[in-house]
């Protein structure tokens, strides 16, 4: 059997969990068995772009190609993108002739319009809560496009955990070929040997300061304002404590304003987008995730691997707990209750106990993905 041609499709390589997964897929596929191409709509010039380039992965950026063809100022740039994008998808899909197309963004309509050859296998990963994924004008288009593809191609929809299944079936029908695949991570990258105090010495961080943190985009789902209210209460318990915020996003300025309003802006560190996430996690005493809606958070899997304590919203999927380091709490209990719980967790010593942590190793996950593509083991993620 020759090399399997795999086309991974994503909106762009930002710093989110889906983008991290796609980059890890591409870098860990067996190059002797697979010919991998990554198709991106936009080029964000992130660290993943550089990594893939260094690994020799073929990456196509549609917007960059269109911009080289047609020079348009400012807002007018979007017009040629909108007009030419369907033709670009069609061109590259028929040029590459992939055996497998794996979608990681709401781009199914472009695949449907491209009409790949009938023997092409399609895989579509739903990377967030299905009700959020499909609950918009763009989401409704995605829903109809997936249903169209399901009737004409071998189409497999991938969920990240079992709790997503009922919602997906409600949207796409009970006949959907539904599989579960974990979002793998580089376990060894997050198994930090250095102790907390050694890293704090390297980063010149006060050894006695209590640090609570959060990693994620500044968007409403992440509930940063509630996090800030928790930190305000936490400050009353530990006046010398700091809040570390890692990431960026549209609501950052709103968060800065709220921190100034509460008089705790100078107690907050905005780290921005970072590549040293394992080290930052290891220096935190506790990470707080008060998401309004989240599903399974890969960031919290990474935090548990670094043995960082986690206080998370009960809106996050229970399958996120792969250790005794994480506790879930209702947002209805209020910021003060969350701050008190954070204090209790920090002061309580516990020996870390994991559950099936090796299942999250990206190498094992990629092996499962390859077998799924080749249909060599249909039991790796059972139909539901």
């Amino acid at each position: 059997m020759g090399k399997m041609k795999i086309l991974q499709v994503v909106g762009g390589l930002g710093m989110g969990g889906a983008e991290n997964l796609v980059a890890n897929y591409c870098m860990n596929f067996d190059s002797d068995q697979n010919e991998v191409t990554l198709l991106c709509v936009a080029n964000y010039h992130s660290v993943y772009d550089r990594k893939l380039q260094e690994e020799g992965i073929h990456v196509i950026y549609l917007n960059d190609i269109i911009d080289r063809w047609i020079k348009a100022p400012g807002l007018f740039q979007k017009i040629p993108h909108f007009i030419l994008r369907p033709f670009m998808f069609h061109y590259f899909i028929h040029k590459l002739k992939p055996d497998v197309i794996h979608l990681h963004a709401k781009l199914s309509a472009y695949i449907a319009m491209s009409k790949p050859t009938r023997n092409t296998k399609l895989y579509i990963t739903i990377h967030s809560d299905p009700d959020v994924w499909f609950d918009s004008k763009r989401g409704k288009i995605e829903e109809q496009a997936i249903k169209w593809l399901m009737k004409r191609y071998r189409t497999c929809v991938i969920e990240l955990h079992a709790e997503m299944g009922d919602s997906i079936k409600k949207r796409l029908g009970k006949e959907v070929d539904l599989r579960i695949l974990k979002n793998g991570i580089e376990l060894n990258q997050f198994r930090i040997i250095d102790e907390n105090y050694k890293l704090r010495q390297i980063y010149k961080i006060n050894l006695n300061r209590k640090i609570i943190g959060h990693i994620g985009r500044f968007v409403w789902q992440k509930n940063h304002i509630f996090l800030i209210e928790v930190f305000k209460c936490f400050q009353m318990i530990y006046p010398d404590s700091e809040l570390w915020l890692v990431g960026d996003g549209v609501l950052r300025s709103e968060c800065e304003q709220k921190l100034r309003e509460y008089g705790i802006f100078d107690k907050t560190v905005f780290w921005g987008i970072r590549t040293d996430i394992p080290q930052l996690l290891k220096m935190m005493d506790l990470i707080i995730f008060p998401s309004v809606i989240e599903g399974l958070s890969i960031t919290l899997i990474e935090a548990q691997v670094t043995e960082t304590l986690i206080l998370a919203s009960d809106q996050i999927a229970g399958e996120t707990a792969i250790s005794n380091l994480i506790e879930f709490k209702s947002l209805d209990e209020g910021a003060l209750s969350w701050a008190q719980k954070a204090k209790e967790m920090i002061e309580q010593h516990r020996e870390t106990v994991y559950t099936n942590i090796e299942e999250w190793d990206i190498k094992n996950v990629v092996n499962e993905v390859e077998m799924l593509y080749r249909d060599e083991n249909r039991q790796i993620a059972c139909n539901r």
Side-chain angles (χ1 to χ4, degrees), residues 123-160:
Y123 297 85
I124 303 167
T125 298
I126 308 297
H127 279 280
S128 63
D129 182 280
D131 292 328
V132 175
W133 186 270
F134 293 115
D135 193 20
S136 65
K137 183 177 179 180
R138 187 175 171 187
K140 291 183 182 2
I141 294 171
E142 179 75 4
E143 180 180 329
Q144 294 305 312
I146 295 174
K147 288 178 178 178
W148 188 92
L149 291 168
M150 286 168 53
K151 292 177 181 178
R152 293 162 176 81
Y153 297 91
R154 293 177 58 188
T155 304
C156 175
V157 176
I158 295 172
E159 56 180 331
L160 305 181

Side-chain angles (χ1 to χ4, degrees), residues 252-269:
R252 172 168 170 168
S253 59
E254 182 180 330
C255 292
E256 291 176 352
Q257 182 180 345
K258 182 61 68 174
L259 287 161
R260 288 191 176 93
E261 179 184 322
Y262 286 155
I264 51 176
F265 182 83
D266 63 335
K267 299 288 187 176
T268 306
V269 180

Side-chain angles (χ1 to χ4, degrees), residues 125-356:
T125 298
I126 308 297
H127 279 280
S128 63
D129 182 280
D131 292 328
V132 175
W133 186 270
F134 293 115
D135 193 20
S136 65
K137 183 177 179 180
R138 187 175 171 187
K140 291 183 182 2
I141 294 171
E142 179 75 4
E143 180 180 329
Q144 294 305 312
I146 295 174
K147 288 178 178 178
W148 188 92
L149 291 168
M150 286 168 53
K151 292 177 181 178
R152 293 162 176 81
Y153 297 91
R154 293 177 58 188
T155 304
C156 175
V157 176
I158 295 172
E159 56 180 331
L160 305 181
H161 56 89
E163 295 176 21
M164 298 172 69
D166 290 340
S167 294
I168 292 175
K169 287 182 178 180
K170 184 175 67 175
R171 298 283 187 164
L172 301 179
K174 293 181 180 179
E175 71 280 5
V176 61
D177 182 5
L178 191 59
R179 315 291 179 98
I180 301 173
L181 281 173
K182 291 179 169 60
N183 268 11
I185 65 171
E186 294 276 4
L187 282 185
N188 290 336
Q189 180 184 355
F190 288 87
R191 285 171 167 155
I192 304 295
I193 297 174
D194 289 336
E195 296 293 337
N196 176 300
Y197 74 92
K198 288 184 180 178
L199 283 168
R200 289 195 182 196
Q201 286 177 327
I202 294 170
Y203 280 73
K204 296 181 171 53
I205 306 297
N206 188 308
L207 300 181
N208 299 314
R209 181 168 297 149
K210 300 299 181 190
I211 296 173
I212 62 174
H214 183 277
I215 297 173
R217 292 172 298 136
F218 287 79
V219 292
W220 72 269
Q221 296 97 322
K222 301 294 184 180
N223 205 8
H224 279 82
I225 297 300
F226 183 82
L227 169 64
I228 291 168
E229 291 170 354
V230 173
F231 178 60
K232 178 188 175 186
C233 297
F234 192 78
Q235 270 278 300
M236 293 187 282
I237 303 170
Y238 296 108
D240 192 39
S241 60
E242 282 187 352
L243 173 64
W244 286 9
L245 299 176
V246 184
D248 207 348
V250 294
L251 298 182
R252 172 168 170 168
S253 59
E254 182 180 330
C255 292
E256 291 176 352
Q257 182 180 345
K258 182 61 68 174
L259 287 161
R260 288 191 176 93
E261 179 184 322
Y262 286 155
I264 51 176
F265 182 83
D266 63 335
K267 299 288 187 176
T268 306
V269 180
F270 288 86
W271 288 92
I273 295 173
R274 306 284 297 196
T275 58
D276 56 347
I277 298 297
Q279 290 76 17
L280 295 179
L281 281 168
K282 192 72 174 183
M283 288 187 286
M284 296 177 191
D285 292 287
L286 179 135
I287 189 168
I288 293 182
F289 247 64
S291 300
V292 175
I293 190 165
E294 180 80 28
L296 193 148
S297 168
I298 199 66
T299 298
L300 297 188
I301 300 295
E302 295 169 346
Q304 289 171 87
V305 178
T306 62
E307 297 191 85
T308 305
L309 291 170
I310 302 163
L311 179 57
S313 160
D314 60 6
Q315 298 302 304
I316 295 171
E319 293 183 41
T320 305
I322 62 166
S323 73
N324 61 339
L325 295 166
I326 183 169
E327 295 194 29
F328 298 98
K329 193 172 179 64
S330 170
L331 295 171
D332 293 336
E333 295 182 47
L336 179 58
S337 178
W338 275 63
Q340 291 169 338
K341 183 63 179 179
K343 173 182 180 294
E344 175 190 319
M345 291 177 67
I346 289 171
E347 294 180 352
Q348 176 188 3
H349 175 75
R350 66 181 81 190
E351 294 292 334
T352 305
V353 179
Y354 290 109
T355 304
N356 300 324

